[in-house]
Amino acid sequence: DPIKLAMNCDILEESIKYLKERKTNGMANNKTDGTGIHLTANIGMNRPYLWLPEISEKFTSENPHLLKGGYFDYTKTKVQEYALKIIYEIIDEYDIDGMFFDYMRSYNNQSVESIIYTIRMTKERLKQKETLIQSKNVGKKLELRVRIPADQIVFYKAMKVCIENEYIDGIVPSNIVTSEPLPPVRHYLELAKGTKTKVYGCIDGWKH
């Protein structure tokens, strides 16, 4: 029940606690169980949940002018600021190993500039946290990955800039719901060639 879950449980914090317990118990018993698992926070980048008002945030109901076609309009500065406020909270308050942006559920209402801006600002915040962690003698790289529609030119142009400037660590070119046709990934492999950015495969859903 997504409503009860949202109201009564911080699933991200619970997952972090569980993995820490596994790591501690594994080390106590000279085992590696759980020590190699990374926890990445996933964000659906355009989900105001209008159809579930019980878990839709106050910001959504108070700012209908910031929605377009039922989803946030990221070309508007206020939407970008709101998204970053949530992203920064997760980075600052939770012991995560990285972030994953999922643009697939609704990839409209984005511009090349809005995508680059959100990713750049998030990467800068992750680097700040990396510096803080490393000052405590904990060497950990916080990676940022994105799942994007493989056939949308807006996202291709944005990823080109993000790769060139090392804003992004991983790209998952994807389709929406069907496994056929497979999402085109070759152009992303070409973009990432010779860089530190990884390209991951993804097949989502089934034809029937």
Side-chain angles (χ1 to χ4, degrees):
D1 187 323
I3 297 172
K4 287 182 180 178
L5 181 65
M7 295 297 183
N8 297 288
C9 175
D10 185 338
I11 192 64
L12 183 55
E13 183 60 34
E14 291 299 321
S15 301
I16 291 168
K17 283 164 55 180
Y18 173 72
L19 287 182
K20 282 185 175 179
E21 287 172 6
R22 283 196 60 175
K23 182 175 182 179
T24 301
N25 293 336
M27 292 174 68
N29 297 307
N30 294 318
K31 294 182 179 179
T32 58
D33 294 350
T35 58
I37 299 174
H38 289 188
L39 192 141
T40 302
N42 180 77
I43 298 181
M45 288 303 290
N46 207 351
R47 305 288 280 178
Y49 286 95
L50 295 176
W51 58 95
L52 270 181
E54 296 90 342
I55 63 173
S56 184
E57 296 197 38
K58 191 178 177 183
F59 180 85
T60 304
S61 59
E62 290 185 349
N63 295 279
H65 61 288
L66 298 179
L67 301 174
K68 184 178 178 182
Y71 294 93
F72 287 125
D73 184 356
Y74 269 83
T75 63
K76 300 186 181 302
T77 303
K78 281 191 175 181
V79 173
Q80 296 174 23
E81 291 174 349
Y82 176 65
L84 286 172
K85 182 179 177 182
I86 296 173
I87 291 165
Y88 289 170
E89 180 182 342
I90 294 174
I91 294 172
D92 296 344
E93 302 298 328
Y94 293 89
D95 186 16
I96 57 173
D97 295 296
M99 300 202 82
F100 185 94
F101 292 168
D102 187 351
Y103 286 98
M104 284 308 303
R105 297 309 167 202
S106 175
Y107 49 78
N108 296 317
N109 307 340
Q110 293 278 359
S111 66
V112 174
E113 292 76 20
S114 69
I115 297 167
I116 294 171
Y117 177 72
T118 306
I119 290 174
R120 177 173 63 83
M121 297 301 289
T122 301
K123 188 61 177 173
E124 288 179 4
R125 195 72 162 214
L126 286 169
K127 283 184 175 180
Q128 288 174 14
K129 186 167 185 178
E130 273 183 16
T131 303
L132 181 63
I133 292 171
Q134 288 166 2
S135 68
K136 297 178 180 178
N137 297 319
V138 180
K140 183 162 73 170
K141 179 175 172 58
L142 304 179
E143 291 198 344
L144 175 59
R145 302 186 184 107
V146 294
R147 182 182 174 205
I148 56 170
D151 58 353
Q152 299 291 323
I153 189 64
V154 169
F155 283 87
Y156 178 81
K157 289 180 177 179
M159 290 305 106
K160 187 175 188 297
V161 174
C162 288
I163 290 173
E164 289 172 352
N165 291 278
E166 298 186 357
Y167 297 152
I168 199 77
D169 298 293
I171 297 174
V172 185
S174 183
N175 50 13
I176 302 176
V177 292
T178 60
S179 56
E180 294 179 359
L182 295 176
V185 298
R186 193 176 303 279
H187 50 301
Y188 283 103
L189 291 171
E190 288 298 320
L191 272 186
K193 185 183 294 182
T195 73
K196 296 178 181 179
T197 303
K198 305 178 186 75
V199 178
Y200 298 88
C202 177
I203 300 176
D204 184 7
W206 304 93
K207 287 183 70 176
H208 304 290

